Amino acid sequence: MPGISMKQLGDEYERRAAHFLSLQGVEVLICNYRCHCGEIDLIARHHDYLVFIEVRARRNPRFATAAASVDYRKQQRLLRTAQFFLQRHTKLANLPCRFDVITFEPRQSTTNDSPQWIRGAFTN
């Protein structure tokens, strides 16, 4: 998209993911949580779980999938950031936690890049 920065594009996908999740009954608590350890796109409550959500988008299907881009190194950074968050938000620390990924990827048959929700994308 000409004239749109990568940051603006990322923010738009995160907004779309938050909206999608709210339609699924997920309560989004925090968008763009940042600390010295890293960043988590969305932190939410889903049923009895505290969910840390990474939002990924790919516009070119020739490269690795959006889900595959959440590699081991990124997972470790998310884990450290989640631990830091839980140390500072002790009221939420007793909830079971889950790491989900919301992906936006172009489909072969359409230009629609509807979100795909991968629950429990990885574990600690």
Side-chain angles (χ1 to χ4, degrees), residues 20-37:
F20 168 78
L21 289 168
S22 69
L23 293 175
Q24 309 303 312
V26 175
E27 179 188 5
V28 176
L29 303 173
I30 299 172
C31 296
N32 294 311
Y33 175 78
R34 285 177 169 61
C35 68
H36 71 278
C37 299

Side-chain angles (χ1 to χ4, degrees), residues 61 105-113:
E105 300 196 58
R107 305 252 186 244
Q108 289 179 343
S109 60
T110 179
T111 58
N112 182 15
D113 60 353

Side-chain angles (χ1 to χ4, degrees), residues 83-103:
Q83 289 169 338
F84 186 86
F85 174 84
L86 291 169
Q87 289 171 355
R88 276 139 189 83
H89 296 85
T90 55
K91 290 182 180 180
L92 299 171
N94 291 328
L95 292 172
C97 296
R98 192 175 76 210
F99 292 88
D100 292 1
V101 175
I102 299 283
T103 65

